[in-house]
Amino acid sequence: MPTRALPLFGTRRSLRVLERNALVYRSQWLMLLSGFFEPLFYLLSIGIGLNHLVGAISVHGRLVNYATFVAPGMLATSAMNGAMIDSIFNTFFKLKISHTYDALLATPLEVEDVALGEVWWALVRAAIYAASFIVCMVLLGDAGSPWVVLCWPGAILTSFAFSCLGLAACTYIRSWQDFDLVTLVQLPLFLFSATFFPITLYPKWLGAIVSVSPLYQSATLLRGLALGQFDWIMVGRSAYLVILAFVGLHVASRRFRKILTP
Amino acid sequence: MTPTTHATQRQPRWLRSWWYHAAFYAQTWRGSVASSILFPILYLASLGVGVGHLVTAHTGLVEGQTYLHFIAPSLLATTTMQLGEGESLWPVLASVKWIRTYHAAAATPLEPDDILFGKLAWVATRAFVTSIIYTIIVGCFGALTSWWSLTLPLIGVLITLAFSAPLVAYAAAAQSDASFTTLYRFAFVPMFLFSATFYPVSAYPGYLRPVVQFFPLYHGVALVRAAAYGRGSLAIQLAHVAVLVGLAVTGVLWGRRTMRRRLTD
Amino acid sequence: MTNDYVLEARRLVKRFGDFEAVRGIDLSIERGESFGFLGPNGAGKTSTMRMISAVSQPTEGTITIFGLDPSTHGPEIRQRLGIVPQEDSLELELSVRLNLEMFGRYFDLPRRVVRERATELLEFTQLSERANEKVDNLSGGMKRRLTIARGLINRPEILILDEPTTGLDPQARHLLWDRLYRLKREGVTLIITTHYMDEAEQLCDRLVVMDRGTIVAEGAPRSLIDRYSTREVVELRFASDNHEAFHDRLAPFAERLEILPDRVLLYVHEGDATLREIHASGITPSSALVRRSSLEDVFLHLTGRSLSD
Ligand SMILES: Nc1ncnc2c1ncn2[C@@H]1O[C@H](COP(=O)(O)OP(=O)(O)O)[C@@H](O)[C@H]1O
Ligand SMILES: [Mg+2]
């Protein structure tokens, strides 16, 4: 069948889900646009206050100011948070509260298409958001090098991984209260992924644990890209994120099928 | 059927509304308690110790404190602010519009005022408990050096009410949650970042410093630091208190109108 | 005449901005009576119900409930009312039993009393088996029953129900009717809105028909039928689509004639006799049906057939 573009993970029809979401959210474009200000505020605040409290930090021998050090980590974090909110919170709502998908499945769409469609949607938003974040970095002088443009695909990859994982996690959520559990996962990831200070500050054993964190991998990858410091480990880091994404998507499709077509 | 004339008013009506919120919370508290204990510990361990290490190496003390001790009290202020925000916008709109449980309550002897006061009393209760937990944790990190610290739970309640009361009033009048996200983006996030929470107000150029005074959170942060270290003049602290009390009172007065209008239209 | 009115309203008006939802209605409801509001969507039933529940403030007019003024004695009045709103407004995340118990506390009932009554009411509404289930998992009919149980937790003297059975299946409706009937026998005053005619005929001693914010008719169901309709109705269908063409020929046979897109209604006293006369005059409908006149005929006559909402 020609529509079977990605046989394991849904078909081209998944783009219909993307269209639907785009239509529904069309009225909220202003909100999407205002998302630009959030990174601006964060970077501005760090630039004003912490830059001179913390001073310069050495990244692979290059001294950069604190905002330049933190910005890629914040970009990774916001990619994670955005993806998780979209794929856990909003999807939970559609899956279990408003039963939006039941209506979609009364059409030729398959369950896998729905799951994949949600991922497309998360990626579109992530792409817009990451672009505005990077613009903020450049505007505030936190960019590090012209290679910062490569952070764009890097951030989208991060969103891809986290939205697939989030989509899988979402299917296990029973009620609103379980969102507290999501926070319990998100928070340590956010605070302990070497986003705010170099991993070398951790004791060795903790550093080993931290390096498993997808957010750490993403933050380090983005920092390398932003500063134009390329190495082969980056390929490993990207591969790690891609693998997580596909595992998440696979689990999500199966769980969606179980929930929507019991 | 015998009329229910037992009504001897053992319990004031607003307290019944408080009780309802408490009973609801009793069903759903687990996750939020875990995070309200874990969050400050992780936060202080990460930002306080980790970033603090960098700050100490480069700058040394901040306003006479280590960076950890500098940011630890302000965590109490930001958390109680966030509690006030989180409890007041969506939950209230849900209760007056989506699930309409406040309408159900208004069909009992409760008046709109009772529902409002019960809600705020409940939020204040949560703020009090959360503040006690935070005070203990912040104390364990060694950031409390004055007996004035014992007032921190009350300051926490005050900060929460200064945010919660106006936001409950606002949400009770709202037709949709569209504006809530904008409020977060353009009011709460900047306030969180720029209220001298993570660095001293001296980091701002002189002409910006008075502007910071317009953030209610700034007054909370200043008050909390003063209590933690027992520092600063009493008159200035009273001014901070006055700002927060003013917000809370305005919120209550406004909320009495919006809640009544919403529930009795 | 002893006038034991538990509820009286005079010249009630409710305005939302410029829009007048209720336009000056009068009501007197006796203790123990079951009183119905009939009317199409948007007629102003819910607005009226909310005012006579001592919940919403009338824009104009006066209400007395139990001889008290709701604007000054709201809590005292509501202590003795049971209110079942049009939308369920239950705590979806909590269990069935907790919904009742927590609500009972609003009336300042002692915990023990609330627990006993909750058990009783769950039995009464046949929800005992689901007592510990989350409300979210209940069917629409069960939620409705739970809302009614909730409205009874304070043993109200007046139970006010806004469209109690809309959207329920026939089994659930009949169960509810039975329960409401029992309450009525126990002396509870019932005030009900509905747009089901059979429900109004079954449950109400007296009813008013509302349309566009005013009361257009009032009386016992049977007397309304007698007043606004004939004893029987003959429904005729013709092979031709042009029913208008039959108007003049059929008019002499009926007190009133109504042409619908698919059939012609003749309001008559003796249906079978009329049908024989029609056949005798050489008119040949493709099908014919004689039935007793119902409240539905009254309703459509008074409120019209076009959608008002
Ligand atoms: N809160 C409100 N604000 C504005 N208009 C309202 C409000 N409540 C009801 N209405 C309007 O008043 C009219 C009567 O509504 P309602 O009393 O709910 O009628 P019913 O219950 O008979 O269907 C409707 O046209 C409705 O749109
Ligand atoms: Mg209605």
Side-chain angles (χ1 to χ4, degrees), chain C residues 6-23:
Chain C
V6 283
L7 192 152
E8 284 189 278
R10 293 283 161 264
R11 313 287 323 142
L12 274 192
V13 173
K14 184 74 191 179
R15 263 181 235 118
F16 298 108
D18 291 337
F19 179 73
E20 208 166 33
V22 179
R23 311 177 174 201

Side-chain angles (χ1 to χ4, degrees), chain B residues 79-244:
Chain B
T79 304
T80 46
M81 165 181 94
Q82 281 158 353
L83 180 71
E85 292 160 4
E87 285 283 309
S88 309
L89 289 174
W90 280 277
V92 169
L93 187 62
S95 305
V96 299
K97 186 180 168 87
W98 297 323
I99 330 183
R100 294 170 72 91
T101 43
Y102 282 0
H103 283 86
T108 73
L110 269 58
E111 293 277 18
D113 276 355
D114 302 321
I115 296 169
L116 174 69
F117 296 156
K119 166 76 184 178
L120 292 178
W122 169 247
V123 177
T125 310
R126 277 205 63 189
F128 190 61
V129 175
T130 307
S131 301
I132 290 177
I133 297 175
Y134 272 54
T135 305
I136 293 171
I137 292 172
V138 169
C140 290
F141 276 89
L144 305 179
T145 52
S146 154
W147 286 107
W148 281 105
S149 305
L150 292 176
T151 62
L152 282 175
L154 292 178
I155 299 175
V157 170
L158 183 58
I159 296 173
T160 296
L161 286 179
F163 284 94
S164 181
L167 292 176
V168 167
Y170 177 71
Q175 287 308 323
S176 84
D177 64 344
S179 59
F180 294 179
T181 316
T182 314
L183 257 181
Y184 263 90
R185 286 231 162 108
F186 292 103
F188 303 156
V189 169
M191 183 141 49
F192 171 72
L193 291 170
F194 296 108
S195 291
T197 338
F198 301 103
Y199 42 82
V201 76
S202 60
Y204 294 111
Y207 60 91
L208 270 183
R209 283 176 213 168
V211 178
V212 179
Q213 312 254 349
F214 287 103
F215 291 132
L217 179 62
Y218 167 76
H219 298 279
V221 170
L223 201 52
V224 162
R225 285 214 176 102
Y229 319 135
R231 155 203 97 171
S233 82
L234 200 58
I236 292 181
Q237 308 322 319
L238 287 179
H240 292 315
V241 169
V243 170
L244 296 173

Side-chain angles (χ1 to χ4, degrees), chain A residues 31-32 34-35 37-38 41-42 44-45 48-50 52-57 66 129 177 180 184 187-188 191-192 196-198 201, chain B residues 28 31-32 34-35 38-39 42-43 45-47 50-51 53-55 58-59 62 67 181 185-186 189-190 193-194 198-199 203-204:
Chain A
M31 213 170 84
L32 218 61
S34 73
F37 288 93
E38 203 160 310
F41 291 145
Y42 269 92
L44 199 60
S45 165
I48 292 174
L50 288 174
H52 75 239
L53 280 184
V54 175
I57 290 185
Y66 188 60
Y129 197 75
Q177 278 121 59
D180 290 328
L184 281 185
L187 201 75
L191 290 171
F192 289 96
F196 294 107
F197 45 86
L201 283 190
Chain B
T28 56
S32 63
S35 39
L38 271 179
F39 177 75
L42 294 179
Y43 183 92
S46 165
L47 283 191
V51 178
H53 186 86
L54 298 175
V55 175
H58 183 257
T59 313
V62 182
Y67 189 67
T181 316
R185 286 231 162 108
F186 292 103
V189 169
L193 291 170
F194 296 108
F198 301 103
Y199 42 82
Y204 294 111

Side-chain angles (χ1 to χ4, degrees), chain C residues 45-46 86 162-163 193:
Chain C
K45 303 182 297 295
T46 298
Q86 187 170 346
D162 197 354
E163 299 194 14
T193 76

Side-chain angles (χ1 to χ4, degrees), chain C residues 187-208:
Chain C
V188 178
T189 309
L190 298 179
I191 304 177
I192 302 170
T193 76
T194 180
H195 38 230
Y196 295 122
M197 304 306 133
D198 47 349
E199 188 160 289
E201 281 193 76
Q202 288 264 344
L203 290 176
C204 300
D205 304 325
R206 202 153 61 87
L207 48 88
V208 291

Side-chain angles (χ1 to χ4, degrees), chain A residues 39-231:
Chain A
L40 188 71
F41 291 145
Y42 269 92
L43 293 176
L44 199 60
S45 165
I46 291 172
I48 292 174
L50 288 174
N51 259 1
H52 75 239
L53 280 184
V54 175
I57 290 185
S58 154
V59 185
H60 294 292
R62 179 173 158 196
L63 279 181
V64 297
N65 69 27
Y66 188 60
T68 309
F69 173 84
V70 172
M74 308 270 303
L75 174 55
T77 307
S78 79
M80 169 182 88
N81 286 341
M84 301 275 269
I85 288 174
D86 251 357
S87 62
I88 299 190
F89 197 81
N90 295 349
T91 309
F92 173 77
F93 186 77
K94 289 189 246 183
L95 196 60
K96 305 220 170 132
I97 309 287
S98 71
H99 298 286
T100 307
Y101 296 134
D102 295 350
L104 289 184
L105 290 178
T107 71
L109 286 176
E110 291 280 349
V111 175
E112 290 80 1
D113 300 331
V114 171
L116 187 62
E118 287 299 340
V119 174
W120 292 138
W121 172 239
L123 290 187
V124 169
R125 294 184 63 162
I128 298 173
Y129 197 75
S132 63
F133 197 113
I134 293 167
V135 170
C136 288
M137 282 167 72
V138 173
L139 287 179
L140 294 176
D142 301 333
S145 84
W147 293 109
V148 75
V149 292
L150 289 181
C151 283
W152 195 54
I156 295 175
L157 175 62
T158 307
S159 299
F160 180 49
F162 280 104
S163 45
C164 293
L165 290 173
L167 218 51
C170 155
T171 61
Y172 290 95
I173 286 182
R174 292 153 303 179
S175 71
W176 293 113
Q177 278 121 59
D178 285 348
F179 284 104
D180 290 328
L181 295 177
V182 176
T183 317
L184 281 185
V185 174
Q186 221 171 337
L187 201 75
L189 271 183
F190 167 56
L191 290 171
F192 289 96
S193 288
T195 27
F196 294 107
F197 45 86
I199 193 170
T200 48
L201 283 190
Y202 289 116
K204 264 231 148 41
W205 61 272
L206 195 53
I209 298 176
V210 167
S211 62
V212 180
S213 149
L215 185 60
Y216 165 72
Q217 295 299 343
S218 158
T220 314
L221 175 68
L222 293 185
R223 191 172 297 130
L225 293 173
L227 296 177
Q229 297 174 332
F230 303 102
D231 57 33

